Amino acid sequence: MEINRHCTAQSHSDCALLSSLHLQSSDSEQEARHPFPAHMAECGCEYSCQTAVQTLDWIQAIVRFIEPYIFLMEAHVVNFFKDRLWEAVDKEWMDCLREESVQNLLLIPSGVVQGHWPASLKKFVHTLRCLSFPRDQADLQTMFPGLHADSLSSVLIQGMSMKKKHEVEVLSAIVSFIAKRVGAHTIIDVGAGQGYLAQVLSFQYQHSVVAIDASSHHGRVTDARAERIKKHYAAQMRRSGSANMSLNIPKTITCEVSSIDMLKGLSMIPIHKDANEKLVRHEIDGRKPDSVSDASNDALLVLAGLHSCGDLSVTMLRTFIELDDVKAVVSIGCCYNLLSEVGSEDDSCQRGFPVSSGIKSAGISLGKCSRDLACQSAERWRSLKEDSGLHNFELHAFRAAFQMVLLSHYPEVMVTSPSIGRQGKAMRRQQQRRILESSLNQESSCRVGSDFDSNGSCNNRSTICERAPSGTNYSNFEEFSLSGLQRLGLQPLQDMDLHWIWKEHEPFMEFIGPYWSLRAAIGGVLETLILLDRLLFLQEQGIPLKAFMLPIFDPSLSPRNVAIVAMKI
C-alpha cells in the first residue's frame, strides 16, 4: 500500500468549511482559509480537501501512516487466541493498556490519551485523530445562508426514532435548499427505505419526489404512510379554505439499483399522477426501465441518499457526473463493509472502492476486514457505559475462545469459515437485564471510588479482569458456546471440555479490550479514506462543479454524519 507522490501536510484542515457563501462565492474566495477544528489545532495537523491535489495529499498521509498497522486492520478478531494477535502489538502499549480502566479504553477511538501512557502510544492515537475527518456538526447556516430547517409536524414524524427525526429534519432542509438553488424540479430519494425523507420533501417542502428502494415491502409501507399523511393535509386544507390546492405526493419505485444505467434510467422516468392524484408506484424486476424514451428532458434533478448502502452511494455520484439533468447530489453513505472492491470477483464491473483515479493508480485496496473497521463509530464507543463496554469485550473473548472449541473438536467446520450470527445481541440483552437488577448499589459504590479528569477520562483502576469474576465468565462462555454449536447445527461432543478451553485462554482475556480499542481507533481514518476517495472522484472530473464534505448531523445522535455534496455550476 504505497503512493509515490510526496505528501505535503499543509493548509487548511476542514474542507467542510469551504466558504461561508460557498454556493455563490468566486474561485478566489474559495481559496480563503477558514478556522479548523480545535482537535486538529491541538495536535498541530492541518489537512484540506478543497482541491484534488489537497485531497490526494490527505489520502497519501493516511496511507503512509496506516501502512505499518495493516496487521491490526486485517486481523480477524475471532482468531484472537488462535493466532495470539496481541503479541503483534507493541508490548509496551499492551502492558500499559492491560492495566487501564474500561472507560478509558472506550475513549481511545475518540482520540483521548492518558498522561502516563508511552509517548509512542500517545502519538499513535493523536495522529489517528488528526488524520480523521472532523465529526462535530457544521454550522449549517454558515454553509447554506438562508437555510431554514422547519420542525416536522406530528403526522410526519410518526414512526420515526429520535435519530431518524433528527436526520430527516436536517437533510430535508438541506436538499430542499440545494434543489431551489440549482433550479431542480424533482428530487430522487435513492435507497428511500420507508420513505421518511421523501414524504417530508413532498408534503412539507412541496417538491416532486421519486422514492426508490429495493424492497417491495418498503414501497408498500411508504405508499400506505403517504396516504395517511395525504388525508391529514387534505383535511387541513379543507378547514383553511384552500381545498383547491394540490398536494405533492412522492412516487415510489421498487427496484434494486445495480448499475449506473439503472439509476440513470430511473432518473429519466417522467413524473405523473393519475386523474385522482392517487399514488403511482412502479415495480421493476431488476431490468433497465423501458420508459427512458418518454423522459421529460427539461426536468432537472437532485439525487439524495440518507445512508445509502454500500455501492449505492458511489452509483449516485457516478450518475450525477454522467447525467446532465442531475444538477446536484447529496449523499450520506453507510455499510462500507458491503462495498465492492477492485480486485474482487468480476473486475469488469465498476466497483465501490476505489472510485477515484488517484487511488486506483496508486494500487490501494482495503479488504473486507478494513472496510468492516471503517464502520466503527468513535461516538458510539464513547457513549457506552462501563458495564456495556466490558460486556462487549467479553463477547469478543467468548467468540475467540469458541473458535478454539471449533478448531479442537470440529476441524472440518473450520474449512467453511463458520458464522454463528449475531448471538451476542441476545446475550447483551440478558446481561443488561442482570445489570438493571443488580448493579444499583455496585454503580453507586463505583462512582464514589471513581475520579474523572478534565478530559472526561476515568482514573479509577477498574480493569477488565477486576470487573469480571472467573466463574461468571465461564458460565457465560459455556452458554455462548452451546448456543453457537446449535446455530451451526452441531451436537456437543462427550469428550468436549469447555471448562479446560476457557481456563487455558482466560488469562489472555485482559488483552481483548486494549487490542479491540486500538483497532477501532483506526476506523475513523479508514472511513475518512473512503470518503476522500469519493470526493477526489468528483474533483477529478474536470467539469464546473462545487464538491465538498460536510458533517451535517449531531454525531451523538447520528455518528455516520458526513454528507458529500456536489452541484454543477
Side-chain angles (χ1 to χ4, degrees), residues 15 18 40 59 63 67 126 129 139 185 198 236 238 240 245-246 266 274 276 377 397 414 442 450 453 474 510 561 567:
C15 61
L18 293 179
M40 289 191 167
I59 290 169
V63 172
E67 192 168 4
H126 275 312
R129 189 182 184 199
D139 182 349
H185 305 297
Q236 276 193 338
R238 285 194 299 270
S240 64
M245 293 179 59
S246 62
L266 293 169
D274 67 9
N276 297 315
S377 162
M414 295 295 292
Q442 201 174 27
S450 298
D453 65 20
Y474 170 68
E510 62 184 343
N561 72 339
M567 290 159 285

Side-chain angles (χ1 to χ4, degrees), residues 147-165:
L147 176 75
H148 181 63
D150 295 329
S151 296
L152 303 185
S153 67
S154 58
V155 68
L156 283 172
I157 66 173
Q158 286 180 6
M160 293 188 195
S161 64
M162 183 183 297
K163 172 179 178 289
K164 183 64 68 177
K165 176 180 178 293

Side-chain angles (χ1 to χ4, degrees), residues 317-330:
L317 301 183
R318 288 189 171 120
T319 304
F320 164 74
I321 293 297
E322 295 192 16
L323 199 61
D324 289 341
D325 286 342
V326 178
K327 295 302 180 184
V329 60
V330 183

Side-chain angles (χ1 to χ4, degrees), residues 345-358:
E345 300 176 0
D346 181 11
D347 277 342
S348 64
C349 300
Q350 290 182 307
R351 296 294 173 184
F353 182 87
V355 62
S356 67
S357 297

